[in-house]
């Protein structure tokens, strides 16, 4: 689930800034940590702010990630994973 959010943040940043962070290990680590924190917070909040200042430098200028993730968006991002888990869980419950 974290990786779905990381991918969304990577794609969103690339669309906005034109910079691909996928080959930057430090940026990926920071994004992974932020995604996990956001996922945990979304279990009790309807939206969270993801703020990663100085995620990278482009032409000598710092670039930042500053976005809001809603629980609805997170659920959409994870829909495939959630759907694939549903049948085995329902089968286990009916077998119990």
């Amino acid at each position: 689930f974290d990786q779905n959010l990381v991918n969304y943040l990577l794609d969103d940043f690339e669309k906005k800034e034109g910079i691909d962070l996928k080959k930057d290990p430090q940026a990926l680590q920071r994004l992974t940590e932020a995604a996990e924190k956001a996922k945990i917070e979304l279990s009790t909040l309807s939206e969270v702010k993801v703020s990663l200042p100085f995620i990278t430098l482009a032409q000598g200028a710092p670039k930042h990630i500053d976005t809001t993730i809603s629980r609805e968006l997170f659920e959409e991002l994870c829909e495939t994973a959630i759907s694939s888990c549903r049948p085995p869980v329902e089968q286990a419950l009916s077998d119990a």
Side-chain angles (χ1 to χ4, degrees):
F1 295 99
D2 296 354
Q3 191 60 46
N4 291 333
L5 189 49
V6 170
N7 291 339
Y8 170 79
L9 292 168
L10 285 168
D11 292 343
D12 187 54
F13 185 78
E14 188 170 7
K15 285 177 195 169
K16 290 178 181 175
E17 300 290 342
I19 300 169
D20 183 2
L21 296 175
K22 293 177 184 129
K23 294 182 176 123
D24 182 339
Q26 185 176 5
L28 286 173
Q29 180 63 34
R30 290 181 66 200
L31 278 167
T32 301
E33 291 169 2
E36 181 180 10
K37 183 177 182 232
K39 175 192 70 176
I40 291 167
E41 290 178 1
L42 284 169
S43 63
T44 56
L45 301 172
S46 61
E47 65 180 33
V48 296
K49 187 163 187 80
V50 176
S51 181
L52 294 168
F54 305 102
I55 192 73
T56 193
L57 284 175
Q59 300 165 340
K63 298 293 180 179
H64 317 288
I65 291 179
D66 191 23
T67 191
T68 301
I69 305 293
S70 68
R71 185 181 303 160
E72 182 180 351
L73 172 61
F74 182 67
E75 289 174 357
E76 286 175 23
L77 295 172
C78 298
E79 181 60 35
T80 301
I82 292 168
S83 294
S84 67
C85 292
R86 189 168 286 134
V89 169
E90 288 174 350
Q91 183 63 45
L93 290 172
S94 70
D95 290 347

